Amino acid sequence: MEKAAKIVVDCPLRDIDKTFDYMIPPHLDAFIEIGSRVIVPFNRRMVQGFVVDIEENYINNEKFKLKEIDKVLEFPSILDEKLVKLAKWLSFNYNSSLFSCIQSMLPRGIKLQLSEQYSLVRSTLDSDFNDFLSKPRQLGDILDNFQLTKDQINRYLLEGYIKKTLNIKTVVKEKYLQEITLDRDIDEITVPATALRQQQLLELLDNQQRLILSELPAPLRGAVKVFQEKGYIKSKKIKVYREPDTLNLNEVQPKELNCQQQKIFGQLVESIYEESTTTFLLKGITGSGKTEVYLRFVKELINNGKDAIILVPEISLTPMMVSRFKERFGDMVAVLHSGLTEGQKFDQWLKIKEGKVKIAVGARSAVFAPFKNLGAIIIDEEHESTYKQEEQPRYVTRDVAKKRLEQTNGTLLLGSATPSIESYYNSKIGNYKILELNERANNKPLPNIDIVDMREELIKGNKSIFSHSLHSAIGETLGKGEQVILFLNKRGFSATTLCRECGFTFKCPNCDVNLTSHHQGNFLICHYCNYSLSLPNSCPKCSSKHLRFNGLGTERLKEDIQKNFPGAKIIRMDNDTMSTASSYNEVYQNFLEGKANVLIGTQMIAKGFDFPKVTLVGIILADMTLNFPDYKSSEKTFQLITQVAGRAGRADYPGRVILQTYSPEHYSIRTSSQYGYEEFYNEELAMRRSLAYPPFTRLAKIEVVSKSENTGRAVVREIYNKLEEKLENIPESIQLLGPVVPAIPRLKNKFRFMIIVKFPHKTSFLNIINQLNLIKFKSDIITNIKVDIDPATLM
DNA sequence: AGCACGCCGACT
DNA sequence: GTCGGCGTGCTC
């Protein structure tokens, strides 16, 4: 009786989701489990792989003998069985290769670089060759130095002159420090009176007992060497975990919970002891103290011996959340997000894996943090679209979290001031339990939102981008020494640049979009492919000199503010000004300290900011997000307005919000200005129902991207026909739409074609799409096929 | 992805 | 004849 293992190999294959079978040799049997990382021979070379299944009674076929697993890399295994199970679920549900799913669960730095080396076993007739191979050499090295062919090398191998060994290198190395301590009684050590450095070192060692070699100044390291030679000291390697920078931490006493918070806390605590998974939706207005509830809940989990994961929507928000948790839980917290260095990521992951921490705070991929006894996952700002992974595997974090928690009967806690339509609907139909916080902790009312109809301003003869009321409000606010935030969801100077005589507009040569002007209009840049061009003096088509900037971006807004309010000190915050990782924090500090009094920004200013002196928020043009050609644009607009409005009046001064729009009658704008989530939800849900959009149906987006327009069109047609044929015999109603031409048909010089599928929640569609093996429709290397299940947008 | 095989043209 | 160009096919 023999054992075999199913293994996913680290090798991109045409047959996207194939596993390969290998024998488990008896001497490795004790170390191989589901989730083990192994090295296997694969088509004349060695590759890395993961064990995803073990077959106990494998009968080896004489005709087709399986190869054996060569090495096991870690024991206990790098992934546990539960995570492998989750990877299989991911692979099935998001039409992704099992390998890509496993990869997304591990830090990239864990990857190995394999290379083969040759060394001498017994002497050949060529003495130069013998000398050369006295130490291990790469094949390329040998071929460069000797007139040998690969065949001749292989003959040497066969005849036993040389041998091949596998060299395994990790991309990221674990970090160690040298710690030195005295190895003798201090009285036994005599240092010459002239040796100043040695005396300093001895004194330091006497005072501090242990010293870290790399922290000593260079001259003292010389003295360390002398001591080492004399045997006065011993040194020891100590493992350190690389830590990301954190904001300044203060000792913080837990805040008293108010009545609402207390009640919610009670319900969360109850769920810890339940033998099933509960999903809670915590709907709490800005400033209602959601984080304090998270902190208390996590404390309770830890007291029960469980681990917790806290997810935040983007990297810039992690430092805030991390410091809140570190203040309360000290070094029980690990941080995981893509802004860390490879080494930091690796070490933070290792700390979790080794059970050294109980809490992980991070971006979406932290949902896979390798805790053994996961008690809860908290998803803060659950409605954010950043929780959708846009690369393979294209998962929805909320659904992955739920699936993962089912393995340990853990609790899923979704928090938001403006829950996604899907989540709120789920709470209405009883899938999630709703928890509500509608009192602000400081009892301050939410700021008033005044809508200004920009059409009327135009009729009144006001052609500027500021309505009368916004203009005077900015003046007043600045006059009182208070601060203003202006929100505009478009970076750059102007949206389009056109010729006033012939109507020519500047377009990107690679994408079907207009170029956005930057740097006072001197440069034209494509926001999709970064193509840029300096603005010519005249129209390329008719040579007219009358070029005009149309539409408004943050850059021009800044210029206009400067013109209208000469005393204003302005900071701009958008993708262009946020070049480095630290700039976010810099802007935050500068504005907080009052070094500027106007903050202009795109949606990145909508979240997390807490400035006590901001009393006015201006939304320059709410229509910008509203007119996005996507079924979620109303929802996004509502959420953005609510969030941005929440930046005003956070401390002692009352705040106000002025919202400028050309469509004040739109329900997103109407309801958000009243903080009417329920009204918005009802209108939006009715719309979704009538048009058959989520949550009433599920969506899939199949996108064909090709350098050749004709190939792309042909491939999408072929897929459509095949799908149509497969769906014929299915009783459930699955709706195929397309092929659809997307809003931007050409991006980075590639043509795009889409098929949209609407399918029910209980579905066999996933089976069908997985069996279809779309890769085989791929006719050439210039055509790509992407499948996105539950996409964040249909664009 | 890599690695070998094979089939064709350019050269000793 | 044979060296090497890269198109094609396979990987338990």
Side-chain angles (χ1 to χ4, degrees):
Chain A
M1 215 142 46
E2 291 179 284
K3 267 185 166 184
K6 287 203 183 303
I7 288 170
V8 269
V9 291
D10 180 3
C11 183
L13 293 162
R14 245 185 103 72
D15 253 328
I16 191 155
D17 226 11
K18 207 166 177 173
T19 58
F20 292 83
D21 298 340
Y22 286 87
M23 296 312 298
I24 300 175
H27 71 282
L28 293 183
D29 187 31
F31 310 103
I32 287 181
E33 48 194 3
I34 290 179
S36 290
R37 184 160 65 146
V38 294
I39 303 275
V40 291
F42 189 66
N43 188 22
R44 304 177 196 93
R45 75 203 153 107
M46 292 291 182
V47 296
Q48 198 195 144
F50 294 92
V51 175
V52 293
D53 263 314
I54 292 175
E55 206 171 318
E56 296 287 342
N57 307 313
Y58 188 86
I59 298 148
N60 211 344
N61 187 331
E62 280 307 314
K63 273 182 283 178
F64 186 78
K65 264 197 139 168
L66 295 186
K67 291 183 180 174
E68 283 189 347
I69 293 175
D70 190 67
K71 273 191 184 60
V72 190
L73 288 161
E74 293 94 1
F75 185 79
S77 64
I78 193 163
L79 289 169
D80 62 20
E81 202 171 334
K82 285 179 187 148
L83 281 174
V84 172
K85 215 173 145 196
L86 188 67
K88 288 179 183 170
W89 180 87
L90 273 176
S91 163
F92 178 82
N93 281 276
Y94 297 102
N95 190 265
S96 302
S97 72
L98 191 48
F99 187 77
S100 74
C101 296
I102 288 175
Q103 221 171 16
S104 62
M105 295 180 167
L106 298 168
R108 212 166 324 147
I110 214 157
K111 199 172 165 149
L112 301 174
Q113 281 168 346
L114 304 181
S115 60
E116 282 172 334
Q117 291 187 322
Y118 295 79
S119 52
L120 199 70
V121 179
R122 67 189 160 97
S123 301
T124 64
L125 294 172
D126 182 345
S127 64
D128 285 347
F129 183 78
N130 296 345
D131 287 349
F132 190 70
L133 283 186
S134 60
K135 64 178 182 190
R137 303 283 187 175
Q138 305 245 313
L139 182 64
D141 267 3
I142 303 172
L143 296 177
D144 286 348
N145 286 286
F146 295 90
Q147 295 288 336
L148 289 168
T149 64
K150 271 190 169 180
D151 281 349
Q152 286 166 303
I153 302 257
N154 281 335
R155 198 172 314 135
Y156 275 147
L157 271 172
L158 270 170
E159 291 169 0
Y161 288 105
I162 56 177
K163 68 169 187 219
K164 203 158 70 168
T165 48
L166 189 67
N167 183 31
I168 303 171
K169 264 200 329 203
T170 49
V171 176
V172 168
K173 289 180 182 57
E174 293 194 25
K175 191 177 175 183
Y176 292 94
L177 293 177
Q178 291 285 333
E179 183 193 77
I180 51 174
T181 45
L182 277 174
D183 201 20
R184 285 199 197 166
D185 206 75
I186 186 113
D187 307 327
E188 290 175 41
I189 299 171
T190 46
V191 172
T194 48
L196 248 162
R197 302 296 186 201
Q198 291 186 42
Q199 284 181 350
Q200 275 177 18
L201 179 65
L202 192 63
E203 200 176 311
L204 270 173
L205 276 165
D206 191 31
N207 289 340
Q208 300 185 16
Q209 313 298 331
R210 50 193 69 229
L211 295 174
I212 302 299
L213 185 64
S214 58
E215 288 170 2
L216 293 177
L220 281 185
R221 286 185 215 177
V224 168
K225 232 176 195 165
V226 177
F227 277 22
Q228 250 160 355
E229 278 158 16
K230 294 194 173 162
Y232 293 167
I233 52 175
K234 59 183 173 191
S235 69
K236 192 172 81 179
K237 259 168 106 181
I238 52 168
K239 168 104 185 96
V240 285
Y241 297 93
R242 282 155 285 199
E243 295 289 333
D245 298 336
T246 32
L247 303 176
N248 299 333
L249 301 183
N250 318 305
E251 273 291 321
V252 175
Q253 286 304 309
K255 291 181 195 126
E256 283 291 311
L257 294 185
N258 66 27
C259 193
Q260 278 189 334
Q261 287 172 315
Q262 194 64 50
K263 212 174 135 206
I264 286 168
F265 175 65
Q267 276 181 275
L268 289 170
V269 171
E270 250 172 63
S271 79
I272 299 176
Y273 309 103
E274 259 163 42
E275 308 231 320
S276 63
T277 296
T278 313
T279 303
F280 291 99
L281 174 61
L282 173 53
K283 180 171 175 292
I285 57 172
T286 323
S288 62
K290 290 191 284 289
T291 312
E292 188 57 39
V293 173
Y294 302 160
L295 288 160
R296 296 284 187 121
F297 177 43
V298 169
K299 176 87 188 153
E300 200 64 24
L301 284 162
I302 290 173
N303 289 346
N304 281 274
K306 300 192 176 196
D307 311 311
I309 296 171
I310 297 92
L311 302 179
V312 289
E314 58 183 277
I315 304 169
S316 61
L317 298 178
T318 43
M320 276 280 273
M321 193 63 92
V322 169
S323 39
R324 294 291 304 270
F325 275 83
K326 282 203 171 171
E327 281 163 358
R328 197 74 57 93
F329 300 103
D331 51 16
M332 275 199 279
V333 185
V335 187
L336 280 177
H337 60 76
S338 59
L340 308 182
T341 66
E342 297 271 284
Q344 288 170 341
K345 255 184 271 181
F346 183 83
D347 286 356
Q348 297 297 309
W349 179 87
L350 204 62
K351 264 164 71 170
I352 299 166
K353 178 75 186 156
E354 290 172 347
K356 294 207 159 59
V357 294
K358 309 288 284 171
I359 302 163
V361 179
R364 60 173 178 264
S365 65
V367 75
F368 302 117
F371 286 117
K372 288 188 185 68
N373 194 12
L374 192 58
I377 298 175
I378 299 172
I379 304 184
D380 192 34
E381 310 282 351
E382 69 88 28
H383 61 276
E384 286 294 330
S385 57
T386 48
Y387 283 121
K388 172 75 183 182
Q389 167 95 27
E390 294 294 353
E391 275 130 50
Q392 269 231 30
R394 303 187 166 80
Y395 58 83
V396 176
T397 308
R398 188 205 309 133
D399 299 337
V400 178
K402 180 142 193 259
K403 194 70 200 171
R404 184 162 184 208
L405 288 163
E406 282 169 10
Q407 297 175 335
T408 53
N409 293 329
T411 303
L412 176 59
L413 174 54
L414 309 172
S416 176
T418 50
S420 63
I421 297 291
E422 279 114 309
S423 292
Y424 200 56
Y425 177 75
N426 269 319
S427 79
K428 292 274 183 190
I429 62 170
N431 288 344
Y432 298 171
K433 281 191 189 163
I434 185 88
L435 307 169
E436 277 193 83
L437 282 176
N438 43 31
E439 292 166 11
R440 295 184 94 176
N442 55 8
N443 276 323
K444 288 274 171 324
L446 289 163
N448 263 337
I449 302 178
D450 299 325
I451 301 180
V452 177
D453 187 342
M454 291 304 276
R455 292 170 305 190
E456 283 175 17
E457 293 288 317
L458 204 62
I459 293 167
K460 283 189 233 157
N462 177 8
K463 285 182 190 163
S464 100
I465 56 178
F466 304 112
S467 58
H468 278 295
S469 62
L470 182 58
H471 193 279
S472 55
I474 294 173
E476 264 169 47
T477 309
L478 297 182
K480 278 191 280 183
E482 294 166 359
Q483 289 176 310
V484 180
I485 288 181
L486 296 177
F487 169 73
L488 178 65
N489 211 6
K490 175 99 194 170
R491 65 192 169 95
F493 189 76
S494 78
T496 56
T497 310
L498 62 87
C499 169
R500 291 174 74 177
E501 294 202 2
C502 73
F504 173 87
T505 53
F506 287 88
K507 291 201 158 73
C508 175
N510 310 316
C511 311
D512 290 331
V513 295
N514 289 329
L515 293 173
T516 308
S517 67
H518 282 247
H519 305 106
Q520 278 77 52
N522 288 326
F523 280 95
L524 302 170
I525 298 175
C526 173
H527 281 185
Y528 292 88
C529 74
N530 275 333
Y531 168 86
S532 75
L533 168 86
S534 59
L535 186 74
N537 290 327
S538 56
C539 170
K541 201 175 148 199
C542 72
S543 306
S544 154
K545 299 232 185 271
H546 299 283
L547 297 175
R548 183 169 124 174
F549 301 118
N550 252 8
L552 176 67
T554 45
E555 230 188 81
R556 190 154 153 205
L557 178 59
K558 182 178 175 185
E559 212 178 84
D560 276 28
I561 292 280
Q562 204 72 79
K563 264 187 230 151
N564 280 276
F565 306 94
K569 279 174 285 174
I570 309 164
I571 301 184
R572 207 178 91 212
M573 187 171 192
D574 53 37
N575 259 336
D576 300 320
T577 60
M578 297 289 102
S579 48
T580 65
S582 58
S583 34
Y584 187 89
N585 213 19
E586 255 166 59
V587 167
Y588 186 84
Q589 284 303 327
N590 285 342
F591 199 59
L592 191 67
E593 290 162 14
K595 288 183 184 155
N597 49 11
V598 179
L599 177 66
I600 292 174
T602 55
Q603 53 184 301
M604 68 174 64
I605 61 163
K607 271 167 285 178
F609 278 155
D610 192 354
F611 299 115
K613 287 189 83 178
V614 170
T615 54
L616 174 67
V617 164
I619 298 170
I620 302 297
L621 201 55
D623 311 55
M624 226 159 234
T625 34
L626 203 55
N627 295 334
F628 235 62
D630 190 61
Y631 82 97
K632 278 193 181 165
S633 59
S634 298
E635 183 182 349
K636 280 203 183 124
T637 306
F638 183 92
Q639 288 161 347
L640 261 176
I641 292 173
T642 311
Q643 273 175 16
V644 177
R647 303 308 109 205
R650 291 180 71 92
D652 303 332
Y653 319 94
R656 68 182 290 208
V657 179
I658 295 175
L659 185 162
Q660 305 189 141
T661 178
Y662 286 98
S663 31
E665 66 288 341
H666 190 284
Y667 64 94
S668 273
I669 300 207
R670 193 163 35 79
T671 57
S672 63
S673 69
Q674 303 293 318
Y675 299 101
Y677 181 85
E678 199 72 31
E679 293 78 10
F680 170 74
Y681 168 79
N682 287 332
E683 291 226 28
E684 180 68 9
L685 199 73
M687 193 277 283
R688 301 276 180 99
R689 182 182 277 122
S690 67
L691 298 175
Y693 276 120
F696 298 102
T697 179
R698 287 182 68 187
L699 294 172
K701 180 169 83 179
I702 302 165
E703 188 182 343
V704 176
V705 181
S706 179
K707 277 190 181 168
S708 152
E709 190 172 4
N710 287 333
T711 315
R713 189 176 287 122
V715 171
V716 82
R717 193 76 243 175
E718 207 182 326
I719 295 173
Y720 185 91
N721 291 341
K722 196 76 198 173
L723 265 177
E724 198 173 38
E725 185 189 311
K726 292 261 181 195
L727 293 177
E728 249 168 33
N729 309 316
I730 306 295
E732 52 190 80
S733 70
I734 299 177
Q735 211 183 329
L736 266 190
L737 305 171
V740 184
V741 178
I744 305 173
R746 192 177 48 119
L747 268 182
K748 299 182 186 177
N749 239 337
K750 287 177 183 159
F751 297 88
R752 305 167 65 220
F753 303 88
M754 297 196 313
I755 298 168
I756 305 295
V757 189
K758 291 179 173 177
F759 57 98
H761 288 268
K762 283 241 168 249
T763 188
S764 58
F765 175 70
L766 294 173
N767 264 320
I768 295 166
I769 191 91
N770 287 334
Q771 280 161 17
L772 205 53
N773 195 7
L774 287 166
I775 292 267
K776 68 176 185 247
F777 291 91
K778 199 177 143 154
S779 53
D780 51 44
I781 40 162
I782 59 164
T783 308
N784 272 317
I785 302 162
K786 295 184 203 165
V787 178
D788 193 344
I789 309 292
D790 301 329
T793 96
L794 286 182
M795 288 201 52

